[in-house]
Amino acid sequence: MTVEFILNGAPVSVRSDHPHLLAALREELDVTSPKDGCSPQGQCGCCTVMIDGKVQISCTYAVEKAAGRVVTTLEGVDEAERTRFSDAFAACGGLQCGYCIPGIVMRAKAQIDKKGAGLQRDDMARHLGAHLCRCTGYVKVLDAIEAVAKGTPVDPALPGGIGTSGAKYEAAELTLGDRGYVDDLRVPGMLHGALHLTAHVRADIVRIDTSVAAAADGVVGVFTAADIPGEQYVGIIYKDWPVFIGEGQRTSYAGDVLAIVVAETKQQARAAAALVQVEYGVLRPIVDPVAAIDDPEIAVFGTKNNVLSVSEYARGNTDDSLAASAHVVHEVFNTQRIEHAFLEPESTLAVPGDGHLLVYSGGQGVWDDRDQIAALLGVGIDAVTVELVSNGGAFGGKEDMSNQGQTALAAFLLQRPVKCTLSREESFLIHAKRHPIRLEYWAGCDADGHLTALRVRGIGDSGAYASVGMKVLERAAGHASGPYRVPDIDVHCTAVRTNNPVCGAFRGFGANQAQFAMEGVMDRLAEQVGISGWEMRKRNVIRPGEVWGPGQIMDDGAGGAEACLDRAKPHIDAALAAGKAVGMGLGLKNSGLGNGLREVCAAVVRFRSADGRVEVRHGFTEMGQGVHTVALQTAVTELGIDPARIEVIVDTTRQLGFGQTTGSRGTLMVAASVQHACRVALAAECAPDVDHYAEHVVDWTQKLGDPAVPNPTIHAAFGFAAQVVVADRDTGAIEKVVAIHDVGRAVNPRLCEGQIEGSVHMGLGYALSEDFPSDEHGFPTNMTLRSLGILRPKDVPPIEVELVEVPQPRSAYGIKGVGEIGLVPTSGAVAAALHMVDGVWRSTLPMGRVTADD
């Protein structure tokens, strides 16, 4: 049976067996501006369309109901109106990764059609409650919608050189859904893959029977661990993560993959994947990270114990100093597991041909993807090219491979193109999360509030596989003292393996967990001393030339900490004078990898004689943070050319990038490498049709905790930030956040502000409401987007951003980066503000919200 309706002015006919209208639009009609972020949950808004002139979430709309109706997607909107929206979102900085924006545009269009210039900002924010944006914090999204509604003239021009504001690279295409993501790609003969995941987090796999699945309609192949020609295990640091769990092996977490089913359609593949039959020998899950350390049983198959890593260092005599301190605080802090909730679920397309495999990936480390896929297939790395497709958000959650390995294997064995896209539920189960960490702090100060000593013991639940868990706990250890000088310090942090969800990289990367605790300690000590939290920080803030945390002697860039602190004082004083409850947090976060790793990034500049365009090629992932725009603005600065001539390309035909796009290193490394490549080009008089190549190398850091190096430079750069949270003294409702961030140099101030606004939004959720718990069986319990506790637009308070520019030595243009530091101070500031409301010190995240009844 078929269903007929009008789509964008033309009659169409689709099969009636699609699970919802969105599937019919995307899978049969190849209309891709409506995005699939959560089908069939209907909770992200990315698939919003108009039906008979009214907005509708298409992943919850039955295909049969569309019969005879008029369906409009963003492709069918009048071109002049499309341009008004794309210009406004580009000019206002109203998008980052862009995945959610086409759906938001459709919602905004419906409201503007009804209310025109009378559309109120608060009313629009309420209507955006049906939508999630994980990048922007909604501030500039609402700015853009307001500009369209009121007909405000805007300038969507690209930016000029470093320090100028302008539109994000590809902003118009992203706004309109015209720049595709992996799941938007279509190639001739493409098959679809679906995964079969384990039903138990710790169980022996006795038997996998794929016969029923293989006989299902449309199925072309079913593959398991037995079909792997090369290496079974992958991983960014340790090769301990199995692409498949095979017979005779053991599962270790809820995201373990047992089989991939490949069929002619996505619907057939998913139906058949459910038919794979597995016989399990179920074992006791190990889910308590503290108990797991001494548990006689091993949580993760193939490992020797349940301790993934230990990061530790000490200076001075902490015991004696604490004993002699005038004031001492002892507190245990607990932070929660968090789901990234990037709006684009993971998707991979693998296309074989002529002895070579081309893999389209949205991952954060295409070079790691390439190397791991080649090892899995048992071929050389020259037989695999991983082409980056800019993704729909990541925040660290797309560093590890998700379905790249299984998809590549299926395409390799079948010698046909295969695409596999995860459902939202599968995404929740598979990719790594933010670490929950138990942090026990002992801190002392003298009678005047000067810190004397700090002892920290941290235990982080890293889940089953290594990912970068050891580095997260290493970063938590290194940042345990916050942006303060502490004469005597003793820090010991352990990453523990359990059968809970894997934990790895997430914006903040251990620094936000540790500094929630350290900021809490600072406020408790301030109360004992009898001074304000601001004054306590002023007396202890780290300055250039002083010894910080693990022993690093801070360079001139450390002046950013005090600069942010001083800028916060007038905001605190004004709020107190107005009778408000106020809390502040001060934080630092490294940029780059550091810890003794040699970081290399290369870039190529090429002048094309055929069309006069200038290619700027690099190897980092664009995921909304604007690394393409950084490359463009660097080239404009160095070459003095019109930005419209520049084409930014992620070149994966050669190794221009090394490692992951993480830790704000994309901005630092790309800016520096493009700067060097431009100067090579200028020295060659910009010779046409030549690759002007250059590298940027950071090789002057040392490893944390090496007794032979008492003053290690563990990081090459740091960002600093102060945030002030203003709340109502009676209700505890947060009324405003002032975010003061030292970014070294703002490459594009408007886009930089947007990064900070999005970080504050994420930080408020982290502080108040977000959680991703798992049960006694090791399975997550919050399996819908709405259950995660992410703040919706109407719940986000006004966010004021102030940029501080204290240059970072040995960094191009003094850049420090901004993505990582963004939410580090937020939770501590919220905790302090709520303490002023009700007198309760908070030590556990999320804190929840104070209500009038409280």
Side-chain angles (χ1 to χ4, degrees), residues 288-337:
D288 182 333
V290 176
I293 295 174
D294 298 316
D295 197 305
E297 296 187 34
I298 303 299
V300 179
F301 181 74
T303 61
K304 296 180 179 179
N305 59 60
N306 294 336
V307 174
L308 173 62
S309 68
V310 173
S311 299
E312 57 184 339
Y313 61 92
R315 287 189 291 109
N317 191 323
T318 301
D319 289 343
D320 288 352
S321 293
L322 284 172
S325 297
H327 304 284
V328 175
V329 166
H330 176 211
E331 185 71 81
V332 175
F333 297 86
N334 287 282
T335 69
Q336 77 279 43
R337 184 183 300 110

Side-chain angles (χ1 to χ4, degrees), residues 113-260:
D113 285 350
K114 288 181 183 178
K115 301 170 184 175
L119 178 62
Q120 298 298 307
R121 189 183 183 96
D122 288 349
D123 190 33
M124 190 64 232
R126 181 174 58 82
H127 282 284
L128 286 182
H131 296 259
L132 274 179
C133 175
R134 197 61 159 157
C135 297
T136 67
Y138 303 104
V139 178
K140 289 177 170 44
V141 169
L142 290 166
D143 289 346
I145 295 171
E146 194 169 39
V148 176
K150 298 187 182 309
T152 306
V154 296
D155 181 6
L158 288 167
I162 298 291
T164 65
S165 290
K168 175 184 172 67
Y169 188 76
E170 294 185 322
E173 297 91 330
L174 288 164
T175 299
L176 301 174
D178 292 342
R179 208 277 285 137
Y181 302 87
V182 175
D183 193 41
D184 297 330
L185 302 179
R186 311 284 190 264
V187 297
M190 184 175 74
L191 301 172
H192 295 266
L195 305 180
H196 184 95
L197 305 185
T198 182
H200 303 279
V201 300
R202 187 166 178 258
D204 291 327
I205 302 300
V206 178
R207 182 167 175 265
I208 302 174
D209 184 354
T210 63
S211 59
V212 177
D217 288 348
V219 172
V220 177
V222 183
F223 304 105
T224 67
D227 298 298
I228 297 175
E231 299 293 329
Q232 181 181 1
Y233 291 84
V234 298
I236 298 172
I237 299 175
Y238 297 159
K239 307 301 181 189
D240 67 341
W241 198 325
V243 175
F244 293 101
I245 305 292
E247 292 182 349
Q249 297 178 332
R250 182 175 294 172
T251 64
S252 297
Y253 90 121
D256 275 329
V257 179
L258 305 185
I260 182 170

Side-chain angles (χ1 to χ4, degrees), residues 683-719:
E685 298 182 345
C686 300
D689 303 319
V690 173
D691 284 352
H692 302 286
Y693 174 94
E695 292 181 351
H696 176 63
V697 179
V698 176
D699 58 3
W700 59 85
T701 65
Q702 292 94 37
K703 184 174 173 55
L704 175 147
D706 183 352
V709 186
N711 295 112
T713 300
I714 63 169
H715 296 298
F718 292 90

Side-chain angles (χ1 to χ4, degrees), residues 378-588:
V379 299
I381 59 173
D382 58 345
V384 178
T385 297
V386 177
E387 182 168 324
L388 173 74
V389 179
S390 298
N391 68 41
F395 313 108
K398 293 178 180 175
E399 289 191 12
D400 302 282
M401 291 208 302
S402 55
N403 60 2
Q404 290 96 325
Q406 296 89 353
T407 310
L409 176 69
F412 178 79
L413 295 175
L414 291 170
Q415 285 299 295
R416 287 186 63 182
V418 176
K419 183 167 70 177
C420 178
T421 301
L422 300 185
S423 69
R424 179 57 63 180
E425 294 83 358
E426 289 166 343
S427 178
F428 280 173
L429 292 172
I430 290 174
H431 75 253
K433 314 295 180 227
R434 186 187 299 287
H435 281 74
I437 305 180
R438 180 188 189 274
L439 292 151
E440 189 167 8
Y441 269 61
W442 296 261
C445 69
D446 64 19
D448 295 323
H450 298 105
L451 292 171
T452 54
L454 181 69
R455 181 191 297 125
V456 178
R457 296 295 180 265
I459 296 176
D461 183 353
S462 224
Y465 304 123
S467 179
V468 292
M470 68 291 286
K471 291 298 180 181
V472 172
L473 270 294
E474 180 182 70
R475 203 73 81 248
H479 288 68
S481 59
Y484 308 110
R485 60 183 177 278
V486 183
D488 295 341
I489 188 168
D490 177 5
V491 177
H492 183 285
C493 288
T494 304
V496 182
R497 292 185 189 265
T498 68
N499 298 122
N500 292 322
V502 175
C503 290
F506 196 161
R507 178 186 246 165
F509 204 86
N512 49 313
Q513 291 99 316
Q515 288 175 78
F516 166 62
M518 187 63 196
E519 291 301 278
V521 162
M522 293 294 285
D523 286 323
R524 288 161 174 79
L525 285 172
E527 184 179 65
Q528 291 188 22
V529 175
I531 60 177
S532 70
W534 183 89
E535 183 61 37
M536 185 72 188
R537 289 165 174 81
K538 183 71 171 178
R539 295 181 187 185
N540 293 282
V541 66
I542 196 72
R543 297 183 174 100
E546 295 181 338
V547 176
W548 169 75
Q552 179 162 345
I553 299 172
M554 300 297 273
D555 59 28
D556 287 345
E562 190 165 23
C564 291
L565 184 63
D566 289 345
R567 291 272 287 270
K569 187 67 161 58
H571 296 284
I572 295 171
D573 292 344
L576 290 173
K580 301 298 183 180
V582 185
M584 79 155 296
L586 186 66
L588 86 165

